[in-house]
Amino acid sequence: MKKSDKGYAYCALTLVILQVALILVSWIITAVNQGIAMRSLLSSEGIRWFFGEFVSNLASPLLVWILLVAIAYGSFRSSGLMSVFTNDSDTYRQNFRHRFAFKIVIVEIILYVCVILALTSIPHAVLLSSTGHLFPSSFSASLVPIVSFCVVLASITYGWLSGTLSSIVDVFHSLTVGVSYLMPWWLIYVLGVQLYYSVCFVFLL
């Protein structure tokens, strides 16, 4: 077992213990003092809320962001682009094809940034808010998707030109493997978000 897996496991266990403790504490306190400004998760209202709002609680922008980051990370790692920025860059230094691919990626990123600047910097740009601000705006709301798409585009380009991703199957695999890399975070997210909304339900009437 990796040390990181052990850390994730203990983190998940801690969140489960806190959730169970919150359920029991809210039930005991409200049973002893019914006039207290607090709701029990074991009451009929609490049970209906826990099951009825479970999906709604998880369906947040953060969930989409984790998914997009997972896709971007998987493509970044599988394409070999990640090795250019690590100590495993000997292949990049010695291989003309890899160097050429990286130069094309740099040009691609510059063009991508120019497009985003054109959509946000000029007066009345389409990604600005109605008042002309960046925050909040369509740009700020889509910042994670914008960055993720840039990483995916650069990674696929690098992988295709360098030969790391030699077929459509390789490209597809690079776009899906990231989900398995970040799988522990999915469980942490589910447990953490449900605990957060449980605390809000119990204490914020």
Side-chain angles (χ1 to χ4, degrees):
M1 178 183 291
K2 299 179 181 179
K3 290 184 178 179
S4 58
D5 291 339
K6 189 175 182 180
Y8 289 130
Y10 279 113
C11 182
L13 178 61
T14 300
L15 291 173
V16 171
I17 292 174
L18 290 175
Q19 180 71 59
V20 173
L22 179 64
I23 293 173
L24 294 178
V25 169
S26 66
W27 171 62
I28 293 173
I29 292 179
T30 54
V32 173
N33 188 354
Q34 298 183 358
I36 194 171
M38 186 176 176
R39 288 184 289 195
S40 170
L41 284 168
L42 287 181
S43 64
S44 57
E45 179 188 12
I47 294 174
R48 284 195 303 269
W49 172 86
F50 191 90
F51 287 95
E53 299 296 325
F54 188 83
V55 174
S56 299
N57 292 339
L58 297 182
S60 72
L62 182 58
L63 179 62
V64 179
W65 294 347
I66 294 176
L67 176 60
L68 293 176
V69 169
I71 294 174
Y73 176 72
S75 62
F76 183 66
R77 181 173 175 176
S78 300
S79 66
L81 185 56
M82 184 176 181
S83 64
V84 177
F85 303 96
T86 64
N87 295 329
D88 302 324
S89 58
D90 292 338
T91 302
Y92 163 74
R93 295 193 187 99
Q94 298 171 5
N95 194 308
F96 169 79
R97 190 174 180 182
H98 285 243
R99 294 198 302 272
F100 173 76
F102 185 68
K103 291 176 182 178
I104 296 298
V105 165
I106 294 298
V107 174
E108 191 175 55
I109 292 176
I110 292 174
L111 292 176
Y112 186 85
V113 171
C114 289
V115 171
I116 298 300
L117 288 176
L119 294 173
T120 55
S121 299
I122 63 176
H124 308 292
V126 295
L127 290 184
L128 296 177
S129 65
S130 57
T131 57
H133 294 91
L134 275 177
F135 299 94
S137 66
S138 298
F139 170 77
S140 61
S142 61
L143 186 57
V144 173
I146 288 173
V147 174
S148 298
F149 180 75
C150 182
V151 173
V152 169
L153 183 62
S155 299
I156 293 177
T157 301
Y158 179 84
W160 192 265
L161 294 177
S162 66
T164 307
L165 305 176
S166 57
S167 68
I168 189 65
V169 176
D170 292 335
V171 173
F172 179 80
H173 178 263
S174 72
L175 294 174
T176 56
V177 71
V179 176
S180 62
Y181 289 150
L182 298 186
M183 189 62 72
W185 285 104
W186 295 98
L187 179 59
I188 299 299
Y189 170 83
V190 171
L191 297 176
V193 167
Q194 190 59 27
L195 176 61
Y196 168 77
Y197 280 107
S198 295
V199 171
C200 293
F201 173 82
V202 171
F203 295 104
L204 302 180
L205 301 181

